[in-house]
Amino acid sequence: QVQLVESGGGLVQAGDSLRLSCAASGRSFYGYAMGWFRQAPGKEREFVATITWSGGYKAYGDSLKGRIAISRDNPRDTVYLQMNGLKPEDTAVYYCAATPNWRSLQDRQGYDYWGQGTQVTVSS
């Protein structure tokens, strides 16, 4: 059974940094692209970042661009999201996702597997 488990969320103050992790298990993720999305209460799930298997392609959503970096450790089947300069409007549940297809990587419909999410709360 495929599992994506996010960790690293929590309550922080504005300006702080967090590093989210997503550990994949249950199958080989060789060749898979991985992505991060977030969803705030009452809002649509929003694209945050994506990275291909080799790391040769990365893309970031406009809301966090310039303040985040996505990376991955393939031997550990783990993807990371480093977030800096957090703002109260970054408060959301952050989800990890995986897909063997490299089309529509900035679209949530492009992903086959999802984690349960990790809450990030930024206080002002």
Side-chain angles (χ1 to χ4, degrees):
Q1 182 176 354
V2 172
Q3 271 197 315
L4 300 176
V5 179
E6 302 95 336
S7 62
L11 173 63
V12 298
Q13 293 186 331
D16 285 353
S17 299
L18 277 177
R19 189 176 82 153
L20 306 183
S21 300
C22 172
S25 64
R27 63 156 297 139
S28 170
F29 281 85
Y30 177 82
Y32 276 57
M34 305 291 289
W36 286 96
F37 290 74
R38 69 180 185 181
Q39 189 165 18
K43 294 189 176 181
E44 294 289 317
R45 193 166 295 191
E46 174 188 23
F47 169 71
V48 173
T50 187
I51 184 170
T52 51
W53 168 258
S54 68
Y57 173 77
K58 300 176 186 178
Y60 298 99
D62 290 338
S63 297
L64 287 153
K65 192 177 291 184
R67 298 187 288 124
I68 59 172
I70 190 170
S71 60
R72 66 190 295 165
D73 183 343
N74 288 335
R76 290 185 169 84
D77 281 328
T78 300
V79 63
Y80 303 99
L81 183 69
Q82 177 68 42
M83 302 191 293
N84 303 317
L86 285 163
K87 305 175 182 179
E89 52 263 44
D90 296 322
T91 295
V93 177
Y94 285 71
Y95 295 92
C96 173
T99 178
N101 303 306
W102 292 5
R103 302 183 299 273
S104 304
L105 291 180
Q106 299 186 34
D107 186 342
R108 63 182 181 175
Q109 280 75 28
Y111 291 82
D112 299 282
Y113 303 105
W114 290 86
Q116 293 300 306
T118 185
Q119 176 71 46
V120 172
T121 303
V122 185
S123 64
S124 57

